[in-house]
Amino acid sequence: MLRNYTLSALALFILSPIPFVQAASAPAVEAKNGMVVTSQDLATQVGIDILKQGGNAIDAAVAVGYAQAVVNPCCGNIGGGGFMTIHLANGKDTFINFREMAPAAATAAMYQTPQGDLIAGSSLYGWKATGVPGTVMGMEMARRQYGKLSRQAVMAPAIKLAKDGFILTRADTDILDTTVAHFKQDPTVAKIFLRPNGSPLQPGDRLRQTDLARTLSRIAKDGPDAFYHGQFPKAVEQASKSGGGIITAQDFAQYHATELTPLTCTYRGYTFVSAPPPSSGGVTLCETLNILEGYDLKSMGVNSAAMIHTLSEALRFSYADRNTYLGDPAFVQNPITKLMDKQYAASLRDKIQKDKATPSTQIKPLVVTGEKPETTHYSIVDHYGNAVSTTYTVNGRFGAVVMAPGTGVLMNDEMDDFTTKIGAKNLYGLVQGTANSIAPGKRPLSSMSPTLVTKDGKIFLVLGSPGGSRIITITLETALNIIDFGMKPQEAVDAPRIHHQWYPDEVYYEKNGLSADTLNVLSNMGYRTVEQTPWGAAELIMVGLPGAAGVGTPTSGNDSAVSGNVRLGYLYGANDVRRPAGSARGY
């Protein structure tokens, strides 16, 4: 039997021919004590159950992280890595970095022929594409430092879901269907994610993952040692060696997660708290906000030609800096202070013409220097005042689509996030420099941007999204929709998106997201625009704070649409209709 949330979400998704261009959205989910928003409803329920059991937002984030590895296998993971941005009730902000690391045998030219040509697909599929996973280490670091519950308590729901299985819905099988051809190339993966006759799983089928249940049970009992030492890494090394990979058990033994200070910047009276390198998210987000702060976006109007021009130009300059200068801080010096300086943003504004696009070829680095969209994000707020924004990934859908026999763990293809060749495009079309070149033990640059927004020291927004290089613009535009345009939380998530990333020199926009008139004006300004199917899956929580944007929005006075206004003191969760398997739940 299909779950109710899926039927309603799918109905909205299927029956509306233009789902993202609309006068109104359904109200966000409202709650008083706690809120969890994830891209898979069963994982959302796990988070809420942990909060109701007395766990805090960090406990719920860890429980959701493990649950997503079971019920959202394309993107949730213990075979990948990511970032967690945390706001504690005592006012402290912190950041857990559990990004993957390159194996010791990795080299800068490992995906090139002797002639220097890229080997197609070599950094995307198979064992050679895999970096050392960090999720298990990161989740345990967060729980041990800031959680209240035991490891066994927060992992129990994921173990049960893996052992007993869960009934697939259409929203689940749509994602599985995208990778059926690659499932068939790995017998261990095929045994789990295809029917016994080799055909795709269907809505109503039960997906059981008994090997994964055993791996999770060992981690619950023995902690990260069960993952980074002993049986598991040996199994991975053996499978990797047989498949032409380079990752070893010793690589697992040398992995470490780190706790860092998050980056912060201000925008129109709000403070953004976001990811530092090896994420590019916080730097690029803040640099873009600093540029935009000099413009009156509200007066331009949502998705007007003037607004799209201003946003695209700001992104063009920010992504040029991102792709040129940023990398793993253990290996390169990131010019964070310079890139996040408001005076530097003002100098970039001086280069933006009012009615003309700046060709990307004209943007040169200040100094000459010698990601697939299937990430997943979730947002959590508890009644204590803690908030967690987590983004983690296996990179491409189902990662490298390889699995060591007996483990149940899909491995990432995160090596593609490195610069596999200077000047060449990666999976997301990003053209990156030497700062992000491959080196043993190095973490690849990421666009993951788990972000918190505070007002007067109190949590206002918890947000983030999957989407590869578009994560930054999804997170940015969702926040702008609320702060500059006064949208309600669900409207802010549902609104059509645009994206520019320096190269290719194109403005991408969602299907039916821009009018013909707007496209005409942009074309005359020198823009090349490209319509694409909707992308990303923003997971947003908004807190009703006094004086904050979008709180207590009045009605027009001549309509009956009086529901959905944000009330003081309440929590509002908005799941993205672009990912109908997800949900927002509160209590």
PDB file of all heavy atoms in Angstrom, residues 84-88 92-96 146 259-262 273 452:
ATOM      1  N   MET A  84      28.390  18.788   8.087  1.00  0.00           N
ATOM      2  CA  MET A  84      27.296  19.072   9.016  1.00  0.00           C
ATOM      3  C   MET A  84      27.559  20.421   9.683  1.00  0.00           C
ATOM      4  O   MET A  84      28.599  20.614  10.317  1.00  0.00           O
ATOM      5  CB  MET A  84      27.200  17.963  10.076  1.00  0.00           C
ATOM      6  CG  MET A  84      26.053  18.124  11.060  1.00  0.00           C
ATOM      7  SD  MET A  84      26.018  16.791  12.315  1.00  0.00           S
ATOM      8  CE  MET A  84      25.511  15.377  11.317  1.00  0.00           C
ATOM      9  N   THR A  85      26.620  21.356   9.515  1.00  0.00           N
ATOM     10  CA  THR A  85      26.703  22.659  10.169  1.00  0.00           C
ATOM     11  C   THR A  85      25.740  22.663  11.350  1.00  0.00           C
ATOM     12  O   THR A  85      24.567  22.332  11.195  1.00  0.00           O
ATOM     13  CB  THR A  85      26.348  23.790   9.189  1.00  0.00           C
ATOM     14  OG1 THR A  85      27.177  23.683   8.025  1.00  0.00           O
ATOM     15  CG2 THR A  85      26.577  25.154   9.825  1.00  0.00           C
ATOM     16  N   ILE A  86      26.250  23.016  12.521  1.00  0.00           N
ATOM     17  CA  ILE A  86      25.487  22.867  13.765  1.00  0.00           C
ATOM     18  C   ILE A  86      25.396  24.202  14.495  1.00  0.00           C
ATOM     19  O   ILE A  86      26.391  24.920  14.634  1.00  0.00           O
ATOM     20  CB  ILE A  86      26.157  21.831  14.697  1.00  0.00           C
ATOM     21  CG1 ILE A  86      26.244  20.455  14.018  1.00  0.00           C
ATOM     22  CG2 ILE A  86      25.418  21.721  16.028  1.00  0.00           C
ATOM     23  CD1 ILE A  86      27.079  19.448  14.789  1.00  0.00           C
ATOM     24  N   HIS A  87      24.183  24.517  14.965  1.00  0.00           N
ATOM     25  CA  HIS A  87      23.989  25.625  15.898  1.00  0.00           C
ATOM     26  C   HIS A  87      23.495  25.022  17.207  1.00  0.00           C
ATOM     27  O   HIS A  87      22.488  24.317  17.233  1.00  0.00           O
ATOM     28  CB  HIS A  87      22.952  26.631  15.368  1.00  0.00           C
ATOM     29  CG  HIS A  87      22.613  27.716  16.338  1.00  0.00           C
ATOM     30  ND1 HIS A  87      23.379  28.851  16.498  1.00  0.00           N
ATOM     31  CD2 HIS A  87      21.587  27.832  17.224  1.00  0.00           C
ATOM     32  CE1 HIS A  87      22.836  29.623  17.419  1.00  0.00           C
ATOM     33  NE2 HIS A  87      21.752  29.025  17.880  1.00  0.00           N
ATOM     34  N   LEU A  88      24.217  25.293  18.292  1.00  0.00           N
ATOM     35  CA  LEU A  88      23.855  24.758  19.599  1.00  0.00           C
ATOM     36  C   LEU A  88      23.024  25.757  20.388  1.00  0.00           C
ATOM     37  O   LEU A  88      23.122  26.968  20.177  1.00  0.00           O
ATOM     38  CB  LEU A  88      25.111  24.385  20.382  1.00  0.00           C
ATOM     39  CG  LEU A  88      25.982  23.300  19.740  1.00  0.00           C
ATOM     40  CD1 LEU A  88      27.288  23.154  20.502  1.00  0.00           C
ATOM     41  CD2 LEU A  88      25.238  21.975  19.684  1.00  0.00           C
ATOM     42  N   LYS A  92      26.750  28.448  20.359  1.00  0.00           N
ATOM     43  CA  LYS A  92      27.940  28.035  19.610  1.00  0.00           C
ATOM     44  C   LYS A  92      27.558  27.496  18.231  1.00  0.00           C
ATOM     45  O   LYS A  92      26.591  26.753  18.094  1.00  0.00           O
ATOM     46  CB  LYS A  92      28.696  26.940  20.382  1.00  0.00           C
ATOM     47  CG  LYS A  92      29.894  26.373  19.630  1.00  0.00           C
ATOM     48  CD  LYS A  92      30.581  25.260  20.417  1.00  0.00           C
ATOM     49  CE  LYS A  92      31.738  24.655  19.626  1.00  0.00           C
ATOM     50  NZ  LYS A  92      32.438  23.583  20.377  1.00  0.00           N
ATOM     51  N   ASP A  93      28.326  27.884  17.219  1.00  0.00           N
ATOM     52  CA  ASP A  93      28.194  27.319  15.880  1.00  0.00           C
ATOM     53  C   ASP A  93      29.447  26.498  15.581  1.00  0.00           C
ATOM     54  O   ASP A  93      30.568  26.935  15.893  1.00  0.00           O
ATOM     55  CB  ASP A  93      28.057  28.422  14.826  1.00  0.00           C
ATOM     56  CG  ASP A  93      26.765  29.215  14.970  1.00  0.00           C
ATOM     57  OD1 ASP A  93      25.727  28.601  15.247  1.00  0.00           O
ATOM     58  OD2 ASP A  93      26.807  30.446  14.807  1.00  0.00           O
ATOM     59  N   THR A  94      29.262  25.333  14.983  1.00  0.00           N
ATOM     60  CA  THR A  94      30.403  24.506  14.632  1.00  0.00           C
ATOM     61  C   THR A  94      30.120  23.739  13.349  1.00  0.00           C
ATOM     62  O   THR A  94      28.986  23.755  12.837  1.00  0.00           O
ATOM     63  CB  THR A  94      30.777  23.558  15.784  1.00  0.00           C
ATOM     64  OG1 THR A  94      32.056  22.963  15.521  1.00  0.00           O
ATOM     65  CG2 THR A  94      29.727  22.468  15.974  1.00  0.00           C
ATOM     66  N   PHE A  95      31.167  23.068  12.843  1.00  0.00           N
ATOM     67  CA  PHE A  95      31.080  22.430  11.529  1.00  0.00           C
ATOM     68  C   PHE A  95      31.869  21.123  11.564  1.00  0.00           C
ATOM     69  O   PHE A  95      33.031  21.113  11.979  1.00  0.00           O
ATOM     70  CB  PHE A  95      31.657  23.374  10.477  1.00  0.00           C
ATOM     71  CG  PHE A  95      31.658  22.839   9.059  1.00  0.00           C
ATOM     72  CD1 PHE A  95      30.517  22.918   8.274  1.00  0.00           C
ATOM     73  CD2 PHE A  95      32.802  22.269   8.522  1.00  0.00           C
ATOM     74  CE1 PHE A  95      30.534  22.442   6.972  1.00  0.00           C
ATOM     75  CE2 PHE A  95      32.824  21.798   7.218  1.00  0.00           C
ATOM     76  CZ  PHE A  95      31.679  21.876   6.444  1.00  0.00           C
ATOM     77  N   ILE A  96      31.221  20.035  11.149  1.00  0.00           N
ATOM     78  CA  ILE A  96      31.878  18.731  11.085  1.00  0.00           C
ATOM     79  C   ILE A  96      32.192  18.428   9.624  1.00  0.00           C
ATOM     80  O   ILE A  96      31.289  18.384   8.777  1.00  0.00           O
ATOM     81  CB  ILE A  96      31.000  17.610  11.677  1.00  0.00           C
ATOM     82  CG1 ILE A  96      30.534  17.961  13.097  1.00  0.00           C
ATOM     83  CG2 ILE A  96      31.755  16.278  11.650  1.00  0.00           C
ATOM     84  CD1 ILE A  96      31.627  18.054  14.112  1.00  0.00           C
ATOM     85  N   TYR A 146      28.168  16.176  20.715  1.00  0.00           N
ATOM     86  CA  TYR A 146      27.021  17.055  20.943  1.00  0.00           C
ATOM     87  C   TYR A 146      25.683  16.339  21.119  1.00  0.00           C
ATOM     88  O   TYR A 146      24.683  16.996  21.394  1.00  0.00           O
ATOM     89  CB  TYR A 146      26.920  18.050  19.780  1.00  0.00           C
ATOM     90  CG  TYR A 146      28.179  18.858  19.607  1.00  0.00           C
ATOM     91  CD1 TYR A 146      29.015  18.677  18.502  1.00  0.00           C
ATOM     92  CD2 TYR A 146      28.569  19.795  20.573  1.00  0.00           C
ATOM     93  CE1 TYR A 146      30.193  19.410  18.355  1.00  0.00           C
ATOM     94  CE2 TYR A 146      29.744  20.531  20.432  1.00  0.00           C
ATOM     95  CZ  TYR A 146      30.550  20.329  19.323  1.00  0.00           C
ATOM     96  OH  TYR A 146      31.705  21.042  19.183  1.00  0.00           O
ATOM     97  N   GLU A 259      36.723  18.843  12.979  1.00  0.00           N
ATOM     98  CA  GLU A 259      35.748  19.841  13.411  1.00  0.00           C
ATOM     99  C   GLU A 259      36.347  21.218  13.153  1.00  0.00           C
ATOM    100  O   GLU A 259      37.469  21.504  13.570  1.00  0.00           O
ATOM    101  CB  GLU A 259      35.394  19.675  14.881  1.00  0.00           C
ATOM    102  CG  GLU A 259      34.314  20.641  15.349  1.00  0.00           C
ATOM    103  CD  GLU A 259      33.794  20.342  16.746  1.00  0.00           C
ATOM    104  OE1 GLU A 259      34.332  19.424  17.399  1.00  0.00           O
ATOM    105  OE2 GLU A 259      32.847  21.022  17.179  1.00  0.00           O
ATOM    106  N   LEU A 260      35.603  22.054  12.453  1.00  0.00           N
ATOM    107  CA  LEU A 260      36.097  23.353  12.023  1.00  0.00           C
ATOM    108  C   LEU A 260      35.145  24.460  12.471  1.00  0.00           C
ATOM    109  O   LEU A 260      33.997  24.196  12.854  1.00  0.00           O
ATOM    110  CB  LEU A 260      36.230  23.394  10.501  1.00  0.00           C
ATOM    111  CG  LEU A 260      37.083  22.299   9.839  1.00  0.00           C
ATOM    112  CD1 LEU A 260      36.890  22.331   8.323  1.00  0.00           C
ATOM    113  CD2 LEU A 260      38.544  22.470  10.197  1.00  0.00           C
ATOM    114  N   THR A 261      35.618  25.688  12.385  1.00  0.00           N
ATOM    115  CA  THR A 261      34.750  26.839  12.611  1.00  0.00           C
ATOM    116  C   THR A 261      34.043  27.167  11.303  1.00  0.00           C
ATOM    117  O   THR A 261      34.706  27.329  10.274  1.00  0.00           O
ATOM    118  CB  THR A 261      35.572  28.053  13.065  1.00  0.00           C
ATOM    119  OG1 THR A 261      36.271  27.724  14.271  1.00  0.00           O
ATOM    120  CG2 THR A 261      34.674  29.258  13.300  1.00  0.00           C
ATOM    121  N   PRO A 262      32.724  27.258  11.301  1.00  0.00           N
ATOM    122  CA  PRO A 262      32.026  27.589  10.052  1.00  0.00           C
ATOM    123  C   PRO A 262      32.312  29.020   9.624  1.00  0.00           C
ATOM    124  O   PRO A 262      32.749  29.851  10.437  1.00  0.00           O
ATOM    125  CB  PRO A 262      30.548  27.392  10.402  1.00  0.00           C
ATOM    126  CG  PRO A 262      30.478  27.529  11.880  1.00  0.00           C
ATOM    127  CD  PRO A 262      31.793  27.056  12.416  1.00  0.00           C
ATOM    128  N   VAL A 273      25.562  31.268   8.287  1.00  0.00           N
ATOM    129  CA  VAL A 273      26.570  30.372   8.869  1.00  0.00           C
ATOM    130  C   VAL A 273      26.683  29.186   7.932  1.00  0.00           C
ATOM    131  O   VAL A 273      25.711  28.437   7.761  1.00  0.00           O
ATOM    132  CB  VAL A 273      26.156  29.910  10.283  1.00  0.00           C
ATOM    133  CG1 VAL A 273      27.244  29.031  10.896  1.00  0.00           C
ATOM    134  CG2 VAL A 273      25.833  31.103  11.179  1.00  0.00           C
ATOM    135  N   LEU A 452      22.966  27.676   7.864  1.00  0.00           N
ATOM    136  CA  LEU A 452      22.041  28.203   8.863  1.00  0.00           C
ATOM    137  C   LEU A 452      21.995  29.715   8.692  1.00  0.00           C
ATOM    138  O   LEU A 452      23.009  30.340   8.353  1.00  0.00           O
ATOM    139  CB  LEU A 452      22.528  27.876  10.274  1.00  0.00           C
ATOM    140  CG  LEU A 452      22.885  26.416  10.568  1.00  0.00           C
ATOM    141  CD1 LEU A 452      23.592  26.297  11.909  1.00  0.00           C
ATOM    142  CD2 LEU A 452      21.638  25.547  10.542  1.00  0.00           C
TER     143      LEU A 452
END
